[in-house]
Amino acid sequence: MNQPRRLEGHNLLESDRPLLEALRREGAAWAEQGALEFGALLGGEPLRWGAEANRHPPVLVTLDRSGQRLDEVEFHPSWHRLLGLGVEHGLHAEPWRKPRAGAHVARAALFTLLGQVEAGVGCPLSMTYAAVPALRVSHELADEWEPRLTVRGYEPRLLPETEKASALCGMAMTERQGGSDVRANTTVARPAGDGSYELTGSKWFCSAPMSDVFLVLAQAPAGLSCFLLPRVLPDGSRNAVRLVRLKDKLGNRSNASAELELEGALAQIVGEEGRGVRTIIEMVNHTRLDCVLGTAALMRTAVSEATHYAAHRVAFGRPVGEQPLMLNVLADLCLESEAATVTALRLARAYDEAPVDPAQAVFRRLATAVSKYWVCKRGSAVTAEALECLGGNGYVEDFGLARLHRESPLNSIWEGTGNVNCLDVLRALDREPESVEAFLAEVELAAGGDPRLDRAIAALPEQLASAEEGGARRLVERMALSFQASLLVRHAPSAVADAFCASRLERDAGLALGTLPPGPELAAIVERHRPLA
Ligand SMILES: Cc1cc2nc3c(=O)[nH]c(=O)nc-3n(C[C@H](O)[C@H](O)[C@H](O)COP(=O)(O)OP(=O)(O)OC[C@H]3O[C@@H](n4cnc5c(N)ncnc54)[C@H](O)[C@@H]3O)c2cc1C
């Protein structure tokens, strides 16, 4: 009936050459065997769990049958299986549990693979991973919580510390009156007299509300501060955290995002009073890395599905994927996906090297904001175009692209919207000139490799020097494209790098995907990306 068979049963990593190459190149070749095994596992049954967990979204249970507070969220078993898989493979903690060169890159590759199956569980995995470095500013709290946050075992039930070895961590910053501007937070933290605080107020978005513990921003006497708030107190009683409502979301439907009321909830301060943003920013930076990884995963799935479908769907007597105009669309999707993957893994390497290399630390600072803005911004364009490659089927739930497309805008919104990340780049340009030097040094590693990139690199210092707020998006876009082009010129096949530079760095390039300069090499680009299934 000319309906391509479902794409399943293949090894997600073996099929993803840019990811496999980046894993080796960026310092985690030692993790290849384990990652290949994970890729093989994910290409099977878990693909169906992802669809199921979205078809059966979580349900809030506020009260038990006698009217006692429960504040629980019930999930479909497939959610637990997927989250369990992530925890068992250390996606929430491995670089902290077993630090070694390449540990963040290895985790990044696994995170990207799981994200190809289902994005929702990436949220609690990411927040738990990201909480650890923020928590480390308070040694006692880190000593108490880090062992639990890094255990490779998933225990879904909420239990006191004495009965549960593991823990997952969430984050509650955003309030109704302002999310980007957290200084407007009104949740109050009142010193309880014994070193702890009582938190009172509302949180408008709090994802993974079934987590064991949260990092929360609240106004203490000396200003906005960061707190660690457990859901169960040491005596086994529930902390005063009420789940009011779950958001009815566009996508990310397998995951729960709640509105919370804190009614004098007991919490411990993390870091110093009044320095809450500085403390939690360490967590935000790590979750921003995961937004880039998560979007690379969504793009990869979009490309896999589109190239597979087009190879097997015949129209006008030939597979649609062999027709010149479709070939152009597919190749352009492949370029965007490969650019996102190499960016994400290079960025992950900066997380590995930052603690021992100051240049990588400042590079990471700027490159995270640049990459978070641009890669996440491109996500929805890619999923929309890939969806159209399946024709009408792309618009139908069973084919998976609709779910992917609903998920895409989220990575651009949370952990700092597009504009907020651009403003963050401007702040770094203004206050941390060393991060600009490190960024330019990275981009210049490809100098001489492509004349269009050379021109873009030559123009950057002037563009950076004349940065202004209203033009920040265009500036960050240019920075991101130069960074991606630099990586592709150095590491990708010449057909990929050439087409990328021609379509992303030239002035007369088309605006839609599928506007690459035509040529015989487009077929080779698509073949590189088409899954081996
Ligand atoms: C599904 C989902 C889950 C979430 N989970 C969590 C969570 O677990 N914990 C949590 O704390 N938060 C969470 N959030 C909240 C999210 O981080 C915020 O929505 C986000 O930070 C934006 O804040 P806001 O919604 O208040 O938008 P606003 O801050 O009101 O921004 C509105 C618009 O104005 C723009 N804008 C704001 N300031 C400027 C400026 N100075 N210049 C130019 N433009 C500007 C923004 O880019 C945006 O486009 C979640 C959100 C979603 C959608």
Side-chain angles (χ1 to χ4, degrees):
M1 301 300 287
N2 195 21
Q3 290 278 332
R5 67 168 183 80
R6 188 189 288 273
L7 178 59
E8 59 187 358
H10 62 300
N11 185 318
L12 298 190
L13 182 57
E14 222 166 44
S15 293
D16 189 347
R17 289 165 67 177
L19 182 61
L20 186 53
E21 290 163 9
L23 175 73
R24 294 173 183 153
R25 181 176 63 242
E26 304 296 356
W30 51 265
E32 181 173 333
Q33 193 48 42
L36 280 168
E37 285 164 19
F38 195 48
L41 174 68
L42 292 175
E45 191 67 9
L47 288 172
R48 296 189 185 248
W49 300 343
E52 263 169 18
N54 278 272
R55 257 201 317 276
H56 305 281
V59 176
L60 175 64
V61 186
T62 46
L63 305 173
D64 72 7
R65 66 179 202 172
S66 330
Q68 299 291 319
R69 295 285 329 178
L70 272 181
D71 298 296
E72 293 281 3
V73 181
E74 287 176 356
F75 290 86
H76 189 269
S78 289
W79 163 271
H80 292 300
R81 285 187 202 112
L82 284 165
L83 185 50
L85 209 56
V87 172
E88 282 149 25
H89 287 81
L91 274 64
H92 66 308
E94 203 59 8
W96 317 124
R97 215 175 70 88
K98 278 196 183 168
R100 61 178 290 188
H104 288 278
V105 170
R107 173 201 173 263
L110 299 192
F111 190 84
T112 309
L113 290 170
L114 186 60
Q116 293 177 36
V117 168
E118 164 54 16
V121 293
C123 173
L125 292 168
S126 176
M127 290 196 292
T128 304
Y129 159 69
V132 169
L135 205 52
R136 283 181 177 174
V137 299
S138 288
H139 300 298
E140 273 182 31
L141 285 178
D143 287 349
E144 181 186 348
W145 282 94
E146 197 172 318
R148 293 185 65 192
L149 292 170
T150 54
V151 165
R152 269 174 79 155
Y154 176 55
E155 301 166 281
R157 286 187 58 217
L158 188 65
L159 292 168
E161 211 173 323
T162 46
E163 294 169 50
K164 184 173 176 181
S166 67
L168 292 172
C169 185
M171 165 184 3
M173 297 194 293
T174 307
E175 298 187 2
R176 200 173 350 218
Q177 69 281 0
S180 307
D181 184 6
V182 289
R183 293 167 310 177
N185 273 197
T186 59
T187 295
V188 173
R190 197 178 65 80
D194 59 355
S196 64
Y197 292 74
E198 288 175 8
L199 270 51
T200 305
S202 309
K203 291 291 172 183
W204 187 234
F205 277 97
C206 179
S207 293
M210 66 296 166
S211 298
D212 303 272
V213 66
F214 301 94
L215 293 192
V216 181
L217 287 183
Q219 301 286 359
L224 194 64
S225 310
C226 180
F227 294 90
L228 179 134
L229 185 152
R231 275 185 68 210
V232 178
L233 296 171
D235 66 4
S237 64
R238 296 286 176 100
N239 208 348
V241 180
R242 309 292 173 229
L243 304 190
V244 179
R245 177 165 66 166
L246 296 188
K247 302 288 192 186
D248 185 5
K249 298 178 287 185
L250 170 68
N252 197 252
R253 295 184 72 85
S254 66
N255 184 23
S257 301
E259 292 166 23
L260 300 184
E261 286 291 336
L262 307 176
E263 299 177 349
L266 288 174
Q268 307 294 322
I269 192 154
V270 187
E272 289 172 40
E273 250 194 42
R275 293 173 75 81
V277 173
R278 183 170 282 255
T279 304
I280 212 164
I281 201 72
E282 193 57 17
M283 179 173 187
V284 171
N285 278 332
H286 285 77
T287 52
R288 283 183 180 174
L289 165 67
D290 285 357
C291 291
V292 179
L293 294 166
T295 304
L298 295 175
M299 287 190 193
R300 171 61 198 160
T301 310
V303 161
S304 294
E305 294 287 350
T307 53
H308 168 77
Y309 192 92
H312 297 99
R313 175 79 169 178
V314 175
F316 303 99
R318 270 198 296 168
V320 290
E322 289 176 16
Q323 316 217 12
L325 191 48
M326 180 55 100
L327 203 53
N328 199 321
V329 173
L330 294 172
D332 218 355
L333 290 170
C334 295
L335 292 187
E336 205 60 52
S337 167
E338 181 150 0
T341 300
V342 296
T343 304
L345 275 270
R346 170 63 188 93
L347 191 60
R349 176 155 70 86
Y351 282 73
D352 272 317
E353 294 177 355
V356 292
D357 182 345
Q360 288 301 307
V362 288
F363 167 73
R364 181 185 92 162
R365 157 83 180 87
L366 187 53
T368 301
V370 169
S371 309
K372 158 77 160 90
Y373 170 69
W374 184 243
V375 172
C376 297
K377 200 47 75 189
R378 295 298 283 164
S380 296
V382 166
T383 53
E385 198 61 67
L387 186 155
E388 191 171 325
C389 292
L390 274 68
N393 284 343
Y395 207 68
V396 173
E397 281 300 327
D398 290 343
F399 287 79
L401 271 292
R403 166 155 69 100
L404 217 56
H405 189 48
R406 285 198 305 271
E407 183 72 31
S408 291
L410 182 54
N411 281 330
S412 193
I413 295 172
W414 59 11
E415 310 307 330
T417 58
N419 285 357
V420 165
N421 272 275
C422 289
L423 294 174
D424 206 27
V425 170
L426 291 194
R427 231 179 336 269
L429 299 185
D430 189 37
R431 296 187 199 158
E432 297 170 50
E434 63 283 4
S435 68
V436 182
E437 272 170 42
F439 187 84
L440 290 176
E442 169 74 23
V443 174
E444 282 163 4
L445 289 174
D450 183 283
R452 293 153 299 195
L453 176 58
D454 287 346
R455 284 196 289 278
I457 295 174
L460 266 182
E462 164 67 25
Q463 289 159 357
L464 291 168
S466 56
E468 57 173 296
E469 195 168 320
R473 278 191 176 214
R474 184 67 181 117
L475 176 71
V476 179
E477 183 176 316
R478 286 191 166 115
M479 294 171 76
L481 289 172
S482 300
F483 177 32
Q484 293 190 318
S486 170
L487 289 165
L488 293 175
V489 164
R490 280 179 278 154
H491 307 306
S494 58
V496 171
D498 184 54
F500 189 89
C501 291
S503 56
R504 272 59 168 179
L505 301 179
E506 293 283 85
R507 271 191 167 277
D508 65 346
L511 293 180
L513 287 160
T515 52
L516 299 175
E521 61 291 338
L522 299 189
I525 295 174
V526 174
E527 271 316 289
R528 170 173 168 78
H529 288 259
R530 194 162 65 83
L532 315 163

